Each structure stands twice: as structure tokens, then as C-alpha cells.
Amino acid sequence: MQIIHDHSYISQTEREFISRGYACESLHSLRFSYTLTEAQQAENRAYADAVGAGSVAWGDYIAAEARQRSEHMERIAALLAQNFKVCQYDRQDNIPYKSDWDLFFWCNDFSQTMRGFLSGRDYSYFTLTFNDRHDHERRQKIYDRAMRILDLLSDDENLHIAVQYTAVMDDAKIKHDAKLAVPRIADRNCTYGNMEGRVETNGESLFFRKKRSRKYVYRLTDTDILSLLWQLPA
């Protein structure tokens, strides 16, 4: 089993909010995939050379291999579904999306991955996404429990797991501090999205007007307001 940690989906802006205490890094999803070893890849190449990559024998071979990979990963998905409340995994359960589930299941279908060869769910690649209604602590507890279960599969040479992270914004703190920042950035020159211009207000909201633009303005969100504040001289 190989586990990697993927922080690449957190933007530079989100990283700044994290560093300033307005957000935290949290868990987004677990991505599971069946990955062939080098020996297995070599075996496949040798068989393709022997029978011909376009032959009926090769078609039957790759269909059997795809089915085997799916069945292998389906057992892992089933193990996790037995231990967590997983939305969309069991069609009979019909767990509502707007409910207190632990993880949300998704996988490919053979109609997409093996067109004309197989049909039905292809479990060789599936994801379990954390419930965005849960705070970081709740997600972490679910993650820790899942990892303890998956540790039982540590000898599985084909199992590849990517832990994807996201930024969870502290909306209440951002809204509060953005309101305090309004007088400090109103009528100030600044750069917004690589555009030079000026912050304007109508008494209720803030807008950005690009330099020399008379017609168009951009309404600023609370996160925009704080980002602009941090670029201005104290």
C-alpha cells in the first residue's frame, strides 16, 4: 500500500488566509486506485507482444484484468462501507445527501473505462469525500479511524491512496474583520486581480473600479477586502 498526501488543490490565496489564522487546512477526500507493479506491467507488455495488441485474445485479457482490478478494489470499498456511513455507496440504503453521513462515494463505470467490453461499476478507481458540513475535528476523527482500518491492508502492493486536502475558511472571523477593514481601504488605490484601480463604496458595499474605467466595477467579497487590506502599506 502506498499513501501520498496531496496539498496541491489549496490555492496561494487560501494559503495566505491559513497563515494569517483565517482558515485551516483540512481533509477533502481519499482517492483509491489500483496501481500495477512494474512486474505486472512487464507481464502485460509481454502478453500483448505475444498475442498482438489488437487481437481477440488481448481484448479478452484486458477485460479479465479490468474485472479483477475492480473486484479487488470493491472489497476495500465494502470494508470501509461496513465501518462508516457512506453516502451513494449502497443504492438500497438511499442515504440523503443532506444528512449526517461520514463519507461520499464515487467511482467510474465500465461504460467509460472499458467501452464495449464490460458494464457496471468499475471500482478500480474510487473516491471517498469528507462531509463539508463537518468541522476539521470531525473529519480528522473519521480519517484516523479509516487509516487504522486500511493499515490492515498495508501489504497490498496494488493499493494506492491519495489524501487530498482543502482549505476551510473561518467565515465568521473573515466577515467580522472585513467589516472593520472597510474604512481602511475605501477610496484607496490598489491592485485587484492584476488590475490597477481604486476601491469605492456606496455606503453599504465595496467595489473595485479599474483604472480609467467608467462603466464597470467589481463587487468585493469579504475575502477580497482582507486580501486588498494586506497588500496596502500600514
Side-chain angles (χ1 to χ4, degrees):
M1 177 174 70
Q2 180 186 15
I3 300 176
I4 66 168
H5 294 268
D6 182 2
H7 304 265
S8 65
Y9 289 82
I10 299 177
S11 68
Q12 189 59 44
T13 297
E14 290 170 332
R15 293 185 188 281
E16 183 173 19
F17 274 79
I18 291 172
S19 68
R20 292 178 179 269
Y22 289 90
C24 70
E25 188 175 82
S26 190
L27 295 148
H28 177 271
S29 61
L30 304 174
R31 304 195 304 266
F32 297 79
S33 57
Y34 186 106
T35 304
L36 294 172
T37 65
E38 291 185 3
Q40 290 167 336
Q41 293 178 48
E43 182 181 345
N44 286 351
R45 288 193 295 268
Y47 189 77
D49 291 341
V51 301
S55 67
V56 173
W58 175 247
D60 292 340
Y61 178 83
I62 62 173
E65 285 288 292
R67 187 181 294 108
Q68 182 272 325
R69 291 194 298 270
S70 180
E71 291 172 352
H72 181 99
M73 298 298 288
E74 183 179 5
R75 290 191 289 271
I76 297 171
L79 174 63
L80 292 167
Q82 290 168 8
N83 288 274
F84 295 96
K85 190 174 183 180
V86 182
C87 182
Q88 198 173 258
Y89 176 74
D90 188 340
R91 296 186 178 96
Q92 302 302 318
D93 283 351
N94 194 27
I95 298 173
Y97 181 76
K98 292 184 178 180
S99 65
D100 194 36
W101 43 265
D102 298 318
L103 298 162
F104 183 88
F105 174 83
W106 177 89
C107 73
N108 277 316
D109 191 277
F110 279 126
S111 62
Q112 299 170 307
T113 60
M114 293 292 293
R115 293 183 178 91
F117 288 95
L118 299 169
S119 60
R121 281 182 171 182
D122 180 359
Y123 291 88
S124 62
Y125 176 89
F126 69 88
T127 61
L128 292 173
T129 303
F130 292 88
N131 195 332
D132 61 11
R133 298 175 185 83
H134 292 167
D135 59 21
H136 173 68
E137 289 71 23
R138 178 80 175 275
R139 299 185 204 189
Q140 187 66 48
K141 287 180 180 179
I142 294 171
Y143 170 81
D144 291 341
R145 186 177 162 204
M147 288 297 109
R148 287 194 295 270
I149 295 170
L150 290 167
D151 190 53
L152 300 172
L153 308 173
S154 59
D155 293 335
D156 188 335
E157 62 182 359
N158 298 119
L159 177 57
H160 183 280
I161 304 171
V163 183
Q164 182 182 326
Y165 293 84
T166 188
V168 177
M169 311 297 275
D170 188 339
D171 294 328
K173 184 178 181 180
I174 291 171
K175 183 176 182 179
H176 176 269
D177 287 6
K179 185 176 182 180
L180 296 177
V182 169
R184 297 177 59 186
I185 68 170
D187 301 320
R188 298 283 298 271
N189 294 325
C190 62
T191 301
Y192 174 74
N194 297 321
M195 298 181 292
E196 293 185 3
R198 188 177 182 83
V199 176
E200 299 179 354
T201 180
N202 61 4
E204 297 180 358
S205 302
L206 286 181
F207 301 86
F208 174 83
R209 186 183 297 276
K210 186 178 178 181
K211 190 175 182 179
R212 289 187 290 274
S213 175
R214 296 184 178 182
K215 186 175 181 181
Y216 298 106
V217 294
Y218 302 84
R219 184 166 183 165
L220 300 175
T221 66
D222 291 337
T223 54
D224 289 334
I225 292 170
L226 291 182
S227 293
L228 291 174
L229 174 68
W230 297 334
Q231 69 170 266
L232 294 175

